[in-house]
Tab-separated table of all heavy atoms in Angstrom:
chain	number	residue	atom	x	y	z
A	1	MET	N	87.507	136.234	125.896
A	1	MET	CA	88.211	136.886	124.785
A	1	MET	C	88.099	136.105	123.509
A	1	MET	O	88.125	134.945	123.451
A	1	MET	CB	89.701	136.914	125.275
A	1	MET	CG	90.660	137.515	124.189
A	1	MET	SD	92.334	137.420	124.781
A	1	MET	CE	92.776	139.131	124.454
A	2	SER	N	87.889	136.802	122.426
A	2	SER	CA	87.784	136.192	121.119
A	2	SER	C	89.029	136.231	120.369
A	2	SER	O	89.874	137.032	120.585
A	2	SER	CB	86.585	136.863	120.398
A	2	SER	OG	86.874	138.154	120.003
A	3	THR	N	89.117	135.316	119.361
A	3	THR	CA	90.217	135.283	118.526
A	3	THR	C	89.766	135.614	117.127
A	3	THR	O	88.574	135.665	116.830
A	3	THR	CB	90.954	133.905	118.514
A	3	THR	OG1	90.045	132.968	118.047
A	3	THR	CG2	91.310	133.563	119.946
A	4	ALA	N	90.719	135.583	116.180
A	4	ALA	CA	90.334	135.941	114.809
A	4	ALA	C	89.503	134.794	114.295
A	4	ALA	O	88.691	135.011	113.315
A	4	ALA	CB	91.585	136.144	113.982
A	5	HIS	N	89.686	133.560	114.787
A	5	HIS	CA	88.987	132.427	114.207
A	5	HIS	C	87.701	132.121	115.053
A	5	HIS	O	86.863	131.335	114.594
A	5	HIS	CB	89.918	131.124	114.399
A	5	HIS	CG	91.102	131.352	113.551
A	5	HIS	ND1	91.121	131.413	112.219
A	5	HIS	CD2	92.435	131.425	113.929
A	5	HIS	CE1	92.392	131.602	111.759
A	5	HIS	NE2	93.227	131.578	112.802
A	6	GLU	N	87.545	132.610	116.247
A	6	GLU	CA	86.386	132.389	117.055
A	6	GLU	C	85.665	133.672	117.420
A	6	GLU	O	86.263	134.320	118.411
A	6	GLU	CB	86.785	131.578	118.302
A	6	GLU	CG	85.608	131.095	119.049
A	6	GLU	CD	86.099	130.212	120.260
A	6	GLU	OE1	87.286	130.065	120.465
A	6	GLU	OE2	85.190	129.564	120.926
A	7	PRO	N	84.610	134.102	116.820
A	7	PRO	CA	84.004	135.315	117.256
A	7	PRO	C	83.426	135.267	118.611
A	7	PRO	O	83.050	134.269	119.110
A	7	PRO	CB	82.833	135.471	116.211
A	7	PRO	CG	82.626	134.142	115.658
A	7	PRO	CD	83.821	133.347	115.811
A	8	ASP	N	83.369	136.433	119.329
A	8	ASP	CA	82.793	136.486	120.642
A	8	ASP	C	81.265	136.500	120.529
A	8	ASP	O	80.605	137.574	120.085
A	8	ASP	CB	83.275	137.655	121.356
A	8	ASP	CG	82.792	137.815	122.793
A	8	ASP	OD1	82.151	136.771	123.200
A	8	ASP	OD2	82.974	138.798	123.452
A	9	THR	N	80.588	135.423	120.767
A	9	THR	CA	79.171	135.320	120.640
A	9	THR	C	78.437	135.095	121.941
A	9	THR	O	77.325	134.754	122.092
A	9	THR	CB	78.720	134.179	119.638
A	9	THR	OG1	79.309	132.894	120.227
A	9	THR	CG2	79.234	134.347	118.246
A	10	THR	N	79.134	135.469	123.008
A	10	THR	CA	78.567	135.267	124.381
A	10	THR	C	77.402	136.222	124.641
A	10	THR	O	76.668	135.984	125.532
A	10	THR	CB	79.590	135.384	125.450
A	10	THR	OG1	80.264	136.634	125.385
A	10	THR	CG2	80.673	134.271	125.277
A	11	ASP	N	77.328	137.324	123.841
A	11	ASP	CA	76.209	138.358	124.148
A	11	ASP	C	74.932	137.712	124.009
A	11	ASP	O	74.100	137.918	124.766
A	11	ASP	CB	76.340	139.552	123.219
A	11	ASP	CG	77.532	140.452	123.505
A	11	ASP	OD1	78.070	140.304	124.574
A	11	ASP	OD2	77.826	141.274	122.745
A	12	ALA	N	74.688	136.825	122.999
A	12	ALA	CA	73.390	136.138	122.852
A	12	ALA	C	73.147	135.147	124.049
A	12	ALA	O	71.998	135.073	124.463
A	12	ALA	CB	73.409	135.358	121.499
A	13	ALA	N	74.170	134.502	124.469
A	13	ALA	CA	74.016	133.555	125.597
A	13	ALA	C	73.629	134.341	126.824
A	13	ALA	O	72.855	133.984	127.628
A	13	ALA	CB	75.241	132.707	125.841
A	14	VAL	N	74.345	135.464	127.099
A	14	VAL	CA	74.076	136.348	128.275
A	14	VAL	C	72.652	136.879	128.196
A	14	VAL	O	71.986	136.784	129.155
A	14	VAL	CB	75.064	137.480	128.290
A	14	VAL	CG1	74.602	138.441	129.392
A	14	VAL	CG2	76.414	136.976	128.624
A	15	ALA	N	72.142	137.302	127.031
A	15	ALA	CA	70.810	137.795	126.892
A	15	ALA	C	69.859	136.704	127.114
A	15	ALA	O	68.812	136.921	127.749
A	15	ALA	CB	70.622	138.349	125.416
A	16	ALA	N	70.160	135.525	126.652
A	16	ALA	CA	69.215	134.321	126.917
A	16	ALA	C	69.151	134.039	128.411
A	16	ALA	O	68.064	133.732	128.949
A	16	ALA	CB	69.727	133.113	126.117
A	17	VAL	N	70.332	134.067	129.048
A	17	VAL	CA	70.288	133.781	130.543
A	17	VAL	C	69.417	134.835	131.252
A	17	VAL	O	68.651	134.505	132.130
A	17	VAL	CB	71.670	133.670	131.118
A	17	VAL	CG1	71.734	133.749	132.628
A	17	VAL	CG2	72.475	132.440	130.581
A	18	ASP	N	69.719	136.093	130.877
A	18	ASP	CA	68.940	137.214	131.478
A	18	ASP	C	67.395	137.107	131.319
A	18	ASP	O	66.671	137.235	132.229
A	18	ASP	CB	69.372	138.555	130.998
A	18	ASP	CG	70.809	138.921	131.522
A	18	ASP	OD1	71.343	138.221	132.467
A	18	ASP	OD2	71.419	139.858	130.868
A	19	ALA	N	67.058	136.767	130.065
A	19	ALA	CA	65.573	136.592	129.710
A	19	ALA	C	65.051	135.463	130.475
A	19	ALA	O	63.909	135.551	131.036
A	19	ALA	CB	65.455	136.473	128.211
A	20	LEU	N	65.729	134.323	130.533
A	20	LEU	CA	65.199	133.141	131.203
A	20	LEU	C	65.143	133.369	132.725
A	20	LEU	O	64.161	133.031	133.334
A	20	LEU	CB	66.092	131.866	130.871
A	20	LEU	CG	65.597	130.617	131.488
A	20	LEU	CD1	64.233	130.225	131.102
A	20	LEU	CD2	66.622	129.494	131.094
A	21	ARG	N	66.149	133.974	133.281
A	21	ARG	CA	66.133	134.285	134.711
A	21	ARG	C	64.950	135.207	135.046
A	21	ARG	O	64.231	134.949	136.025
A	21	ARG	CB	67.446	134.935	135.119
A	21	ARG	CG	67.507	135.244	136.655
A	21	ARG	CD	68.796	135.691	137.084
A	21	ARG	NE	69.798	134.612	137.117
A	21	ARG	CZ	70.954	134.631	136.427
A	21	ARG	NH1	71.266	135.616	135.622
A	21	ARG	NH2	71.752	133.580	136.519
A	22	ASP	N	64.731	136.295	134.260
A	22	ASP	CA	63.582	137.121	134.475
A	22	ASP	C	62.308	136.445	134.405
A	22	ASP	O	61.292	136.558	135.263
A	22	ASP	CB	63.578	138.242	133.524
A	22	ASP	CG	64.754	139.308	133.665
A	22	ASP	OD1	65.393	139.289	134.715
A	22	ASP	OD2	64.912	140.115	132.749
A	23	ALA	N	62.094	135.531	133.366
A	23	ALA	CA	60.843	134.706	133.298
A	23	ALA	C	60.668	133.742	134.438
A	23	ALA	O	59.554	133.604	134.939
A	23	ALA	CB	60.842	133.988	131.932
A	24	LEU	N	61.761	133.045	134.731
A	24	LEU	CA	61.675	132.221	135.952
A	24	LEU	C	61.352	132.890	137.229
A	24	LEU	O	60.558	132.512	138.070
A	24	LEU	CB	63.024	131.381	136.066
A	24	LEU	CG	63.255	130.315	134.998
A	24	LEU	CD1	64.693	129.846	135.120
A	24	LEU	CD2	62.256	129.216	135.098
A	25	THR	N	61.977	133.998	137.415
A	25	THR	CA	61.713	134.821	138.583
A	25	THR	C	60.259	135.245	138.763
A	25	THR	O	59.614	135.218	139.726
A	25	THR	CB	62.583	136.046	138.732
A	25	THR	OG1	63.990	135.639	138.750
A	25	THR	CG2	62.335	136.923	139.895
A	26	ALA	N	59.701	135.659	137.573
A	26	ALA	CA	58.292	136.029	137.538
A	26	ALA	C	57.355	134.935	137.872
A	26	ALA	O	56.312	135.153	138.416
A	26	ALA	CB	57.953	136.612	136.138
A	27	ALA	N	57.785	133.752	137.610
A	27	ALA	CA	57.007	132.458	137.917
A	27	ALA	C	57.358	131.944	139.303
A	27	ALA	O	56.792	130.897	139.752
A	27	ALA	CB	57.259	131.414	136.929
A	28	GLY	N	58.254	132.637	140.024
A	28	GLY	CA	58.609	132.198	141.418
A	28	GLY	C	59.540	131.003	141.387
A	28	GLY	O	59.530	130.183	142.274
A	29	ILE	N	60.310	130.845	140.379
A	29	ILE	CA	61.264	129.772	140.238
A	29	ILE	C	62.717	130.250	140.131
A	29	ILE	O	62.947	131.279	139.392
A	29	ILE	CB	60.954	128.870	138.929
A	29	ILE	CG1	59.515	128.395	138.981
A	29	ILE	CG2	61.902	127.841	138.695
A	29	ILE	CD1	59.003	127.807	137.640
A	30	VAL	N	63.588	129.529	140.873
A	30	VAL	CA	65.013	129.959	140.895
A	30	VAL	C	65.885	128.773	140.424
A	30	VAL	O	65.752	127.716	140.927
A	30	VAL	CB	65.429	130.324	142.303
A	30	VAL	CG1	66.873	130.729	142.311
A	30	VAL	CG2	64.651	131.634	142.665
A	31	PHE	N	66.669	129.048	139.498
A	31	PHE	CA	67.681	128.000	138.996
A	31	PHE	C	69.000	128.578	139.547
A	31	PHE	O	69.697	129.445	138.901
A	31	PHE	CB	67.749	127.924	137.440
A	31	PHE	CG	66.746	127.022	136.782
A	31	PHE	CD1	65.470	126.927	137.270
A	31	PHE	CD2	67.032	126.323	135.748
A	31	PHE	CE1	64.546	126.047	136.706
A	31	PHE	CE2	66.216	125.554	135.031
A	31	PHE	CZ	64.997	125.405	135.560
A	32	PRO	N	69.555	128.064	140.657
A	32	PRO	CA	70.735	128.593	141.194
A	32	PRO	C	71.904	128.543	140.357
A	32	PRO	O	72.815	129.376	140.389
A	32	PRO	CB	71.004	127.664	142.519
A	32	PRO	CG	69.735	127.014	142.864
A	32	PRO	CD	68.949	126.867	141.418
A	33	SER	N	72.022	127.585	139.418
A	33	SER	CA	73.212	127.437	138.560
A	33	SER	C	73.062	127.946	137.115
A	33	SER	O	73.864	127.722	136.236
A	33	SER	CB	73.599	125.948	138.468
A	33	SER	OG	73.851	125.461	139.760
A	34	LEU	N	71.979	128.716	136.887
A	34	LEU	CA	71.773	129.342	135.575
A	34	LEU	C	72.838	130.187	135.187
A	34	LEU	O	73.213	131.170	135.869
A	34	LEU	CB	70.461	129.988	135.575
A	34	LEU	CG	69.992	130.626	134.270
A	34	LEU	CD1	69.763	129.583	133.249
A	34	LEU	CD2	68.687	131.434	134.437
A	35	ALA	N	73.596	129.887	134.114
A	35	ALA	CA	74.718	130.674	133.648
A	35	ALA	C	74.997	130.473	132.217
A	35	ALA	O	74.452	129.572	131.586
A	35	ALA	CB	75.928	130.319	134.522
A	36	THR	N	75.994	131.197	131.631
A	36	THR	CA	76.447	130.964	130.297
A	36	THR	C	77.562	129.904	130.482
A	36	THR	O	78.277	129.765	131.409
A	36	THR	CB	76.967	132.189	129.620
A	36	THR	OG1	78.028	132.750	130.424
A	36	THR	CG2	75.899	133.141	129.444
A	37	GLU	N	77.749	129.160	129.408
A	37	GLU	CA	78.966	128.090	129.281
A	37	GLU	C	79.991	128.886	128.614
A	37	GLU	O	79.914	129.230	127.483
A	37	GLU	CB	78.498	126.886	128.613
A	37	GLU	CG	79.613	125.954	128.280
A	37	GLU	CD	80.265	125.444	129.613
A	37	GLU	OE1	79.599	124.937	130.395
A	37	GLU	OE2	81.476	125.595	129.634
A	38	THR	N	81.119	129.128	129.359
A	38	THR	CA	82.181	129.945	128.792
A	38	THR	C	83.320	129.072	128.075
A	38	THR	O	84.159	129.771	127.399
A	38	THR	CB	82.861	130.688	130.048
A	38	THR	OG1	83.378	129.766	130.932
A	38	THR	CG2	81.940	131.717	130.466
A	39	ALA	N	83.166	127.778	128.193
A	39	ALA	CA	84.199	126.907	127.520
A	39	ALA	C	84.172	126.954	126.051
A	39	ALA	O	85.235	126.893	125.386
A	39	ALA	CB	84.142	125.464	127.984
A	40	SER	N	83.023	127.113	125.414
A	40	SER	CA	82.877	127.244	124.020
A	40	SER	C	81.931	128.366	123.612
A	40	SER	O	80.685	128.115	123.271
A	40	SER	CB	82.280	125.875	123.462
A	40	SER	OG	83.059	124.835	123.748
A	41	PRO	N	82.391	129.663	123.777
A	41	PRO	CA	81.493	130.780	123.442
A	41	PRO	C	80.810	130.832	122.174
A	41	PRO	O	79.760	131.286	122.014
A	41	PRO	CB	82.345	131.968	123.708
A	41	PRO	CG	83.727	131.386	123.636
A	41	PRO	CD	83.750	130.004	123.980
A	42	SER	N	81.404	130.214	121.151
A	42	SER	CA	80.779	130.240	119.771
A	42	SER	C	79.544	129.374	119.722
A	42	SER	O	78.709	129.616	118.907
A	42	SER	CB	81.790	129.800	118.709
A	42	SER	OG	82.259	128.433	118.889
A	43	LEU	N	79.357	128.439	120.577
A	43	LEU	CA	78.183	127.654	120.721
A	43	LEU	C	77.001	128.254	121.362
A	43	LEU	O	75.867	127.856	121.260
A	43	LEU	CB	78.484	126.227	121.300
A	43	LEU	CG	79.423	125.395	120.636
A	43	LEU	CD1	79.728	124.027	121.499
A	43	LEU	CD2	78.976	125.103	119.245
A	44	GLU	N	77.230	129.400	122.053
A	44	GLU	CA	76.190	130.144	122.746
A	44	GLU	C	75.339	129.213	123.667
A	44	GLU	O	74.094	129.248	123.651
A	44	GLU	CB	75.280	130.929	121.795
A	44	GLU	CG	76.072	131.949	120.992
A	44	GLU	CD	75.215	132.615	119.945
A	44	GLU	OE1	74.100	132.138	119.580
A	44	GLU	OE2	75.585	133.697	119.548
A	45	LEU	N	76.048	128.462	124.498
A	45	LEU	CA	75.319	127.456	125.343
A	45	LEU	C	74.888	128.140	126.697
A	45	LEU	O	75.678	128.995	127.249
A	45	LEU	CB	76.174	126.303	125.674
A	45	LEU	CG	76.710	125.465	124.538
A	45	LEU	CD1	77.621	124.387	124.868
A	45	LEU	CD2	75.398	124.911	123.778
A	46	VAL	N	73.799	127.684	127.141
A	46	VAL	CA	73.320	128.191	128.480
A	46	VAL	C	73.271	126.899	129.351
A	46	VAL	O	72.703	125.905	129.012
A	46	VAL	CB	71.823	128.730	128.321
A	46	VAL	CG1	71.268	129.063	129.745
A	46	VAL	CG2	71.902	129.999	127.543
A	47	THR	N	73.828	127.081	130.583
A	47	THR	CA	73.873	125.974	131.451
A	47	THR	C	72.701	126.207	132.526
A	47	THR	O	72.644	127.155	133.241
A	47	THR	CB	75.126	125.946	132.307
A	47	THR	OG1	76.213	125.766	131.297
A	47	THR	CG2	75.300	124.819	133.351
A	48	LEU	N	71.722	125.213	132.616
A	48	LEU	CA	70.624	125.363	133.483
A	48	LEU	C	71.016	124.815	134.844
A	48	LEU	O	70.517	125.306	135.852
A	48	LEU	CB	69.433	124.674	132.961
A	48	LEU	CG	68.899	125.089	131.583
A	48	LEU	CD1	67.763	124.202	131.184
A	48	LEU	CD2	68.603	126.539	131.634
A	49	GLY	N	71.997	123.880	134.941
A	49	GLY	CA	72.412	123.373	136.253
A	49	GLY	C	71.375	122.400	136.806
A	49	GLY	O	70.462	122.047	136.193
A	50	ARG	N	71.612	122.066	138.006
A	50	ARG	CA	70.754	121.126	138.756
A	50	ARG	C	69.799	121.976	139.585
A	50	ARG	O	70.091	122.973	140.160
A	50	ARG	CB	71.580	120.196	139.596
A	50	ARG	CG	72.533	119.337	138.823
A	50	ARG	CD	73.210	118.329	139.620
A	50	ARG	NE	74.170	119.022	140.615
A	50	ARG	CZ	74.863	118.329	141.465
A	50	ARG	NH1	74.843	117.061	141.502
A	50	ARG	NH2	75.715	118.988	142.274
A	51	ILE	N	68.556	121.407	139.727
A	51	ILE	CA	67.493	121.996	140.584
A	51	ILE	C	66.809	120.896	141.386
A	51	ILE	O	66.901	119.708	141.047
A	51	ILE	CB	66.442	122.761	139.723
A	51	ILE	CG1	65.877	121.792	138.681
A	51	ILE	CG2	67.095	123.930	139.062
A	51	ILE	CD1	64.626	122.445	137.946
A	52	ARG	N	66.263	121.295	142.509
A	52	ARG	CA	65.537	120.360	143.301
A	52	ARG	C	64.257	119.802	142.641
A	52	ARG	O	63.747	120.500	141.750
A	52	ARG	CB	65.074	121.050	144.745
A	52	ARG	CG	66.276	121.435	145.452
A	52	ARG	CD	65.656	122.005	146.837
A	52	ARG	NE	64.554	122.723	146.772
A	52	ARG	CZ	64.393	124.051	146.737
A	52	ARG	NH1	65.514	124.784	146.801
A	52	ARG	NH2	63.214	124.699	146.767
A	53	ALA	N	63.772	118.708	143.046
A	53	ALA	CA	62.618	118.109	142.388
A	53	ALA	C	61.410	119.026	142.535
A	53	ALA	O	60.591	119.096	141.571
A	53	ALA	CB	62.300	116.783	143.139
A	54	ASP	N	61.209	119.693	143.734
A	54	ASP	CA	60.059	120.564	143.797
A	54	ASP	C	60.119	121.727	142.787
A	54	ASP	O	59.121	122.181	142.342
A	54	ASP	CB	59.853	121.054	145.177
A	54	ASP	CG	61.052	121.907	145.705
A	54	ASP	OD1	62.190	121.564	145.503
A	54	ASP	OD2	60.729	123.007	146.336
A	55	VAL	N	61.336	122.171	142.483
A	55	VAL	CA	61.494	123.344	141.509
A	55	VAL	C	61.166	122.724	140.097
A	55	VAL	O	60.522	123.480	139.352
A	55	VAL	CB	62.918	123.898	141.578
A	55	VAL	CG1	63.172	124.908	140.462
A	55	VAL	CG2	63.165	124.480	142.960
A	56	ALA	N	61.665	121.568	139.776
A	56	ALA	CA	61.362	120.956	138.443
A	56	ALA	C	59.804	120.760	138.384
A	56	ALA	O	59.263	121.013	137.316
A	56	ALA	CB	62.052	119.644	138.372
A	57	LEU	N	59.124	120.367	139.298
A	57	LEU	CA	57.710	120.173	139.222
A	57	LEU	C	57.012	121.565	139.150
A	57	LEU	O	56.055	121.731	138.353
A	57	LEU	CB	57.157	119.519	140.578
A	57	LEU	CG	57.489	117.978	140.738
A	57	LEU	CD1	57.152	117.531	142.051
A	57	LEU	CD2	56.848	117.241	139.614
A	58	ARG	N	57.463	122.527	139.773
A	58	ARG	CA	56.911	123.928	139.615
A	58	ARG	C	57.055	124.410	138.203
A	58	ARG	O	56.201	124.948	137.577
A	58	ARG	CB	57.554	124.848	140.687
A	58	ARG	CG	57.174	126.331	140.401
A	58	ARG	CD	55.771	126.658	140.904
A	58	ARG	NE	55.566	128.047	140.767
A	58	ARG	CZ	54.433	128.515	140.158
A	58	ARG	NH1	53.485	127.788	139.783
A	58	ARG	NH2	54.297	129.887	140.068
A	59	LEU	N	58.283	124.156	137.614
A	59	LEU	CA	58.555	124.550	136.247
A	59	LEU	C	57.701	123.788	135.247
A	59	LEU	O	57.074	124.390	134.343
A	59	LEU	CB	60.033	124.199	136.000
A	59	LEU	CG	60.513	124.592	134.485
A	59	LEU	CD1	60.335	126.014	134.172
A	59	LEU	CD2	61.952	124.126	134.248
A	60	ALA	N	57.452	122.468	135.465
A	60	ALA	CA	56.579	121.710	134.663
A	60	ALA	C	55.144	122.303	134.669
A	60	ALA	O	54.445	122.431	133.650
A	60	ALA	CB	56.591	120.213	135.109
A	61	HIS	N	54.664	122.692	135.909
A	61	HIS	CA	53.399	123.224	136.101
A	61	HIS	C	53.260	124.558	135.252
A	61	HIS	O	52.224	124.750	134.546
A	61	HIS	CB	53.063	123.440	137.592
A	61	HIS	CG	51.784	124.155	137.851
A	61	HIS	ND1	50.595	123.475	137.710
A	61	HIS	CD2	51.525	125.329	138.200
A	61	HIS	CE1	49.641	124.346	138.025
A	61	HIS	NE2	50.235	125.482	138.356
A	62	VAL	N	54.240	125.375	135.420
A	62	VAL	CA	54.164	126.768	134.704
A	62	VAL	C	54.161	126.520	133.129
A	62	VAL	O	53.437	127.204	132.477
A	62	VAL	CB	55.395	127.582	135.189
A	62	VAL	CG1	55.522	128.756	134.326
A	62	VAL	CG2	55.187	127.995	136.681
A	63	ILE	N	55.002	125.631	132.776
A	63	ILE	CA	55.039	125.347	131.263
A	63	ILE	C	53.691	124.776	130.791
A	63	ILE	O	53.152	125.240	129.750
A	63	ILE	CB	56.200	124.388	130.916
A	63	ILE	CG1	57.507	125.073	131.203
A	63	ILE	CG2	56.068	123.889	129.491
A	63	ILE	CD1	58.755	124.159	131.066
A	64	ARG	N	53.200	123.966	131.573
A	64	ARG	CA	51.804	123.354	131.131
A	64	ARG	C	50.736	124.447	131.143
A	64	ARG	O	49.902	124.418	130.219
A	64	ARG	CB	51.420	122.219	132.088
A	64	ARG	CG	52.108	120.945	131.822
A	64	ARG	CD	51.460	119.776	132.618
A	64	ARG	NE	52.273	118.622	132.569
A	64	ARG	CZ	53.073	118.206	133.545
A	64	ARG	NH1	53.052	118.722	134.681
A	64	ARG	NH2	53.834	117.150	133.366
A	65	GLN	N	50.760	125.319	132.070
A	65	GLN	CA	49.838	126.432	132.088
A	65	GLN	C	49.951	127.322	130.832
A	65	GLN	O	49.071	127.690	130.234
A	65	GLN	CB	49.976	127.322	133.314
A	65	GLN	CG	49.399	126.674	134.560
A	65	GLN	CD	49.496	127.585	135.730
A	65	GLN	OE1	50.581	128.338	135.876
A	65	GLN	NE2	48.510	127.698	136.607
A	66	GLY	N	51.238	127.535	130.450
A	66	GLY	CA	51.521	128.446	129.314
A	66	GLY	C	51.159	127.740	128.015
A	66	GLY	O	50.867	128.413	127.019
A	67	CYS	N	51.084	126.412	127.987
A	67	CYS	CA	50.853	125.677	126.683
A	67	CYS	C	49.348	125.485	126.626
A	67	CYS	O	48.960	125.050	125.520
A	67	CYS	CB	51.530	124.322	126.809
A	67	CYS	SG	53.292	124.455	126.650
A	68	ALA	N	48.662	125.774	127.591
A	68	ALA	CA	47.179	125.455	127.578
A	68	ALA	C	46.405	126.524	126.782
A	68	ALA	O	46.843	127.606	126.621
A	68	ALA	CB	46.594	125.409	129.012
């Protein structure tokens, strides 16, 4: 819920989570804790959460391939 002093900006964070989840899924990567941070909606924070070491290595590999 937004107040007069704090605009509801969670739409951007939700869109970012959805886009990141779609990209990760396409790469065969799952971040179980991927979500928006609701404590400070005006900051539009995305929580990546914790992942296993093998998932982090897979993510690093995919990023390196995309940067090549």
Side-chain angles (χ1 to χ4, degrees):
M1 176 182 232
S2 64
T3 65
H5 301 295
E6 185 176 13
D8 183 9
T9 56
T10 59
D11 288 347
V14 169
V17 166
D18 290 344
L20 182 56
R21 182 175 286 120
D22 288 347
L24 289 168
T25 299
I29 299 171
V30 176
F31 278 35
S33 301
L34 181 62
T36 59
E37 174 57 56
T38 58
S40 301
S42 64
L43 295 178
E44 299 178 340
L45 299 176
V46 173
T47 300
L48 301 178
R50 297 185 296 179
I51 57 173
R52 295 186 325 259
D54 64 313
V55 175
L57 290 171
R58 173 76 177 131
L59 178 61
H61 175 73
V62 168
I63 291 171
R64 283 190 190 106
Q65 283 184 320
C67 292

